[in-house]
Amino acid sequence: MPAIPFDNSYIDLGPDFHSRVAPEPVADPQLIRFNHELAAALGIDADALDTAEKAAIFSGNVIPEGAEPLAMVYAGHQFGGFSARLGDGRAILLGEVVADGQRFDIQLKGSGRTPYSRSGDGRAALGPVLREYILCEAMARLGVPTTRALAAVSTGEAVRREGMLPGGIITRVSRSFVRVGTFEYFAAIGNRDAVKKLADYVIARNYSDLGAADNPYEALLARVIDRQARLIARWMQIGFIHGVMNTDNMSIAGETIDYGPCAFMDGFDHNQVYSSIDREGRYAYGNQPPIGQWNLIRFAETLLPLLLTGDDSRAAVASAERLLNEFRDIYHAAWLDGMREKLGLATDAPDDAELVSDFLDLLDRDNADFTLAFRHLSSLGVEPSAQDETIASLFANRAEIDAWLARWRQRLCSEGSQDGERQQRMQAVNPLYIPRNHLVEAAIRAAEDHGDLKPFHQLCEVLQNPFETQPGREEYARPPKPEERVLQTFCGT
Ligand code: AMP
Ligand code: MG
């Protein structure tokens, strides 16, 4: 039995969809972190591989038995402009495994040049590798659909960015790396057969229940709209900013993918942007829902020929528009459901959306810490007490937050809310620990500048239990001091 039970399917779509290419070996691969729990869930026999073998495989120096490395081709709208050919310029799909009836891609990122590298070096710096590892695993623990991190290695080689930086490779796992941009690639070159083949592949692999629908392609569009609306609602509920929501970074399987200059907000600001390359704020926190819908319109356009029944193209457009218009309602309902949970509300009332947005407005006005505000709220009782100070201290205007708390309490009382039971529910959805930007940055600095990986490992450990108070780890819960604040994140490409 090979250590990784590969069972590959994407390769069978044929050479239009990929280029066969092997990873480029690196000088001195060292295993930084390996995700044993994930490996076990994927049916990987990690014990069969010693540390050096893991480092060799997850750097691409050794091709494991059963792997059939390839780079996927795709296009994409980047910051609104269309690039007809992008593709895996520094990633390589090693192959797929099937676990519990679910198929997963195993992909190296930073593994060298491919036919899609254009002027890039095919490599990743260690910093962005660590950032992606920390962020995607934190997201998984926060209950957000996401690609996972299986391994991180350092390469022993330097990469040229702003200066010279140590190189790294991350191994990512996804329910499928097919993107909106994959569909766009084939639609743009007018290859309808390939669009259909890809849609059939996605339906069979990710949404097999849709195979029996009257029009499976219309059902696929509806499902992807639904998944993305719910995904973005989850981002909004935890203060996550993706940073580069280009269509090539939007997953058809509905996962958060391609972690670049992404970040969690500290102080709440609807217009918050961290990414150094997002100068216009296209992918600002508050813009994520409309941009998600914009990307889905690009997806729908690629499916139009498949939505035709007979040759009534107007009917196809009308049905796509109808589905796209549902995005807002699906998003809003998912967002409101989650926000009700964050406020501890067990029932629905007509004014709930207003109660939520008034709280967010107060947070926004004072740039109050988003995560701590909800966490502190989770410990309050229905009767005002000295504990109110924990949340009130986050705000400049005491009278306004007091007035809001009174409304919230009234609402809780209207549904007979019990303190203990509600506090437990709220603490299970309002995290205490998130991958705060200054902590991520400090972990990266220690690794890149001093070869010290301890802060990275410690941060990963804390983030495995984001909802449980961890005594002695108070530092990980607090917002940055002014001098610690990180104002920009870099994608490192
Ligand atoms: P990203 O911003 O990481 O989503 O990448 C956008 C596109 O640029 C994708 O096609 C990547 O494969 C490609 N790319 C990014 N960085 C590099 C690099 N260092 N070398 C080659 N291609 C890259
Ligand atoms: Mg990308």
Side-chain angles (χ1 to χ4, degrees):
M1 266 290 278
I4 307 177
F6 286 108
D7 175 0
N8 308 324
S9 66
Y10 201 75
I11 196 163
D12 296 334
L13 291 179
D16 285 352
F17 290 78
H18 64 257
S19 297
R20 299 285 306 258
V21 53
E24 290 181 302
V26 297
D28 181 23
Q30 299 289 335
L31 188 66
I32 292 177
R33 195 170 177 90
F34 184 76
N35 191 336
H36 286 273
E37 201 180 317
L38 178 63
L42 294 174
I44 295 174
D45 184 4
D47 296 336
L49 305 168
D50 64 26
T51 302
E53 286 169 323
K54 287 193 189 88
I57 288 173
F58 298 110
S59 62
N61 276 17
V62 165
I63 309 295
E65 189 187 338
E68 296 175 284
L70 61 84
M72 295 164 73
V73 68
Y74 52 83
H77 278 86
Q78 301 181 300
F79 293 91
F82 187 62
S83 300
R85 196 173 119 122
L86 294 168
D88 291 332
R90 54 166 169 171
I92 280 177
L93 180 67
L94 276 185
E96 301 153 37
V97 297
V98 177
D100 263 346
Q102 171 70 55
R103 184 172 286 280
F104 294 93
D105 287 350
I106 300 180
Q107 187 202 63
L108 306 179
K109 178 175 172 186
S111 48
R113 289 179 53 79
T114 77
Y116 314 114
S117 297
R118 294 168 289 157
S119 58
D121 59 3
R123 295 296 183 194
L126 182 60
V129 164
L130 301 183
R131 174 180 288 275
E132 177 153 1
Y133 199 115
I134 295 165
L135 272 279
C136 76
E137 286 303 300
M139 293 280 271
R141 298 294 176 149
L142 290 164
V144 184
T146 176
T147 56
R148 301 290 306 270
L150 180 61
V153 298
S154 57
T155 61
E157 295 179 0
V159 295
R160 184 180 299 279
R161 294 295 181 260
E162 301 87 52
M164 297 305 282
L165 296 169
I169 297 175
I170 183 167
T171 303
R172 317 189 290 181
V173 175
S174 170
R175 285 168 192 266
S176 165
F177 279 104
V178 172
R179 305 138 192 275
V180 168
T182 321
F183 281 85
E184 287 182 289
Y185 173 79
F186 293 108
I189 58 173
N191 189 342
R192 287 184 183 201
D193 291 343
V195 174
K196 181 172 182 305
K197 202 167 168 181
L198 185 62
D200 289 337
Y201 176 82
V202 167
I203 291 170
R205 172 170 174 171
N206 295 102
Y207 305 116
S208 58
D209 61 307
L210 304 182
D214 281 347
N215 184 332
Y217 309 110
E218 190 180 293
L220 174 63
L221 176 59
R223 180 65 59 82
V224 174
I225 289 170
D226 182 85
R227 287 292 162 91
Q228 281 296 335
R230 291 173 194 280
L231 177 66
I232 295 171
R234 292 291 295 125
W235 292 356
M236 301 301 279
Q237 288 156 359
I238 53 170
F240 176 76
I241 305 171
H242 183 284
V244 200
M245 290 176 70
N246 293 333
T247 56
D248 50 304
N249 294 336
M250 182 179 260
S251 148
I252 296 297
E255 293 176 342
T256 312
I257 57 166
D258 279 18
Y259 290 79
C262 53
F264 279 70
M265 274 194 305
D266 296 300
F268 187 80
D269 175 1
H270 208 65
N271 300 318
Q272 182 70 58
V273 176
Y274 289 106
S275 166
S276 62
I277 53 173
D278 190 4
R279 295 200 180 81
E280 319 244 297
R282 179 179 171 91
Y283 301 137
Y285 171 76
N287 261 359
Q288 296 185 122
I291 282 292
Q293 188 181 31
W294 190 93
N295 289 349
L296 290 163
I297 297 171
R298 306 287 82 77
F299 178 50
E301 284 164 355
T302 72
L303 293 181
L304 281 178
L306 303 183
L307 301 183
L308 281 179
T309 41
D311 47 21
D312 186 356
S313 63
R314 272 180 318 184
V317 171
S319 85
E321 278 179 349
R322 180 179 52 76
L323 295 174
L324 287 162
N325 286 334
E326 285 173 12
F327 176 90
R328 279 181 64 130
D329 291 341
I330 301 169
Y331 167 78
H332 185 73
W335 175 83
L336 186 56
D337 278 352
M339 295 311 282
R340 276 200 184 96
E341 285 182 14
K342 285 175 80 73
L343 292 187
L345 303 176
T347 58
D348 299 359
D351 295 339
D352 289 347
E354 205 182 318
L355 187 67
V356 175
S357 44
D358 288 351
F359 186 54
L360 295 181
D361 285 347
L362 290 182
L363 286 167
D364 198 322
R365 185 148 14 123
D366 290 345
N367 201 232
D369 192 82
F370 180 68
T371 304
L372 283 188
F374 280 96
R375 185 71 183 188
H376 289 331
L377 202 61
S378 308
S379 314
L380 299 189
V382 290
E383 291 301 327
S385 75
Q387 196 156 15
D388 290 8
E389 189 53 33
T390 56
I391 187 163
S393 68
L394 299 174
F395 294 86
N397 189 324
R398 178 85 202 214
E400 281 181 343
I401 184 62
D402 280 346
W404 185 87
L405 286 173
R407 273 167 68 200
W408 173 65
R409 287 180 159 128
Q410 217 168 26
R411 174 68 181 81
L412 291 178
C413 291
S414 77
E415 60 177 35
S417 195
Q418 297 297 315
D419 281 349
E421 180 271 334
R422 183 194 64 256
Q423 287 160 351
Q424 250 182 18
R425 258 194 291 122
M426 289 177 72
Q427 281 163 9
V429 294
N430 291 312
L432 177 57
Y433 308 102
I434 54 162
R436 289 184 184 271
N437 227 347
H438 68 291
L439 298 173
V440 175
E441 207 59 35
I444 291 173
R445 290 272 60 79
E448 279 191 350
D449 300 347
H450 308 290
D452 177 10
L453 289 160
K454 228 188 286 153
F456 163 70
H457 289 301
Q458 280 171 347
L459 185 53
C460 288
E461 296 299 320
V462 172
L463 293 170
Q464 292 204 355
N465 286 305
F467 301 107
E468 265 166 52
T469 305
Q470 301 174 37
R473 285 167 159 179
E474 292 74 18
E475 275 290 288
Y476 290 90
R478 74 162 171 80
K481 297 172 185 157
E483 68 276 17
E484 292 172 325
R485 216 169 274 158
V486 177
L487 301 174
Q488 271 200 330
T489 51
F490 299 88
C491 60
T493 50

